[in-house]
Amino acid sequence: EADIYQTPRYLVIGTGKKITLECSQTMGHDKMYWYQQDPGMELHLIHYSYGVNSTEKGDLSSESTVSRIRTEHFPLTLESARPSHTSQYLCASSDPQVGEKLFFGSGTQLSVL
Amino acid sequence: EDKVVQSPLSLVVHEGDTVTLNCSYEVTNFRSLLWYKQEKKAPTFLFMLTSSGIEKKSGRLSSILDKKELSSILNITATQTGDSAIYLCAVASNYQLIWGAGTKLIIKP
């Protein structure tokens, strides 16, 4: 079944650790996104990709990086986590042929102590 | 600056009631307006409205786009406890989506 997967679902780590949030989709979508969402707040775009070897920064300043070596895989890395990074991270993908309809993963809730 | 504003921020009603959620926007180069339902973590797609499709309906849910008033409404009739969620509105402008903060809907049995 075509879907989009995120791991881990929950992560609690200490300050200064390097972490990678995984995102994979089996829908063959070219466009992928990473959003950050705090409770009661809007989704903020932190990174997106139009396809393999394409990555762009979103409107929210972020200390994270992304890579897109394969169509289906779009991991997000924090080199040195800080308490201000505590948030929910949502990965999404879309098919540009169909417009702006996004398919979301289940999210990663990150807590940095 | 492009922005999307949803109202109310939260709403508590009883099962069986009808609710109307609002989304207003100020964006350049409007392309489409989308509604999503977010229950636990992953937002799930409900409707996409464009200039050529200003009204959508699916079961008890319906949505209308008013391009003159730069707004949209999401109606839910005969609400059920399973409708409890955060309802997100997003507007596509140029190459990005601008999101509202959502309306938290709670349906009491």
Side-chain angles (χ1 to χ4, degrees):
Chain A
E1 180 183 333
D3 209 338
I4 179 164
Y5 306 93
Q6 284 187 246
T7 57
R9 292 290 302 275
Y10 302 93
L11 181 61
V12 181
I13 60 167
T15 297
K17 299 290 186 185
K18 176 180 178 179
I19 59 166
T20 296
L21 307 184
E22 301 288 347
C23 177
S24 294
Q25 51 99 0
T26 58
M27 294 175 280
H29 289 166
D30 285 326
K31 211 166 176 186
M32 295 188 74
Y33 315 76
W34 276 104
Y35 283 94
Q36 187 173 337
Q37 186 185 30
D38 294 315
M41 301 295 288
E42 301 90 337
L43 274 71
H44 289 288
L45 182 66
I46 46 176
H47 294 283
Y48 60 100
S49 166
Y50 287 111
V52 172
N53 294 325
S54 152
T55 61
E56 303 285 344
K57 289 196 172 185
D59 53 317
L60 180 66
S61 175
S62 172
E63 292 150 342
S64 58
T65 59
V66 291
S67 63
R68 190 88 183 275
I69 299 172
R70 303 196 315 266
T71 297
E72 61 271 23
H73 194 214
F74 190 42
L76 181 143
T77 298
L78 277 168
E79 290 292 332
S80 180
R82 295 208 301 268
S84 60
H85 295 137
T86 294
S87 187
Q88 173 167 244
Y89 293 83
L90 289 165
C91 180
S93 71
S94 69
D95 178 358
Q97 307 280 345
V98 191
E100 292 81 17
K101 178 180 174 181
L102 268 60
F103 295 84
F104 283 88
S106 296
T108 294
Q109 180 62 51
L110 173 65
S111 296
V112 183
L113 306 178
Chain B
E1 182 183 340
D2 293 343
K3 65 179 179 180
V4 174
V5 178
Q6 292 186 245
S7 63
L9 291 181
S10 64
L11 184 59
V12 181
V13 300
H14 286 96
E15 206 167 16
D17 289 350
T18 294
V19 298
T20 299
L21 311 183
N22 299 282
C23 175
S24 63
Y25 60 90
E26 292 179 30
V27 300
T28 52
N29 298 317
F30 172 91
R31 286 157 56 96
S32 62
L33 184 145
L34 299 97
W35 284 97
Y36 283 82
K37 178 182 181 182
Q38 186 174 25
E39 290 180 85
K40 297 213 189 284
K41 298 295 183 187
T44 53
F45 174 80
L46 293 175
F47 300 117
M48 183 166 72
L49 302 158
T50 66
S51 299
S52 58
I54 61 171
E55 188 166 355
K56 294 286 175 74
K57 183 175 171 63
S58 176
R60 296 178 294 103
L61 278 67
S62 62
S63 183
I64 298 173
L65 174 67
D66 188 335
K67 287 209 69 181
K68 185 177 178 183
E69 296 296 326
L70 305 184
S71 65
S72 173
I73 59 170
L74 176 68
N75 275 324
I76 309 175
T77 60
T79 52
Q80 303 169 357
T81 54
D83 295 326
S84 294
I86 297 173
Y87 290 83
L88 299 170
C89 172
V91 175
S93 169
N94 291 329
Y95 301 105
Q96 64 174 335
L97 280 174
I98 301 109
W99 294 82
T103 292
K104 184 174 183 178
L105 177 63
I106 297 173
I107 311 296
K108 288 189 169 182

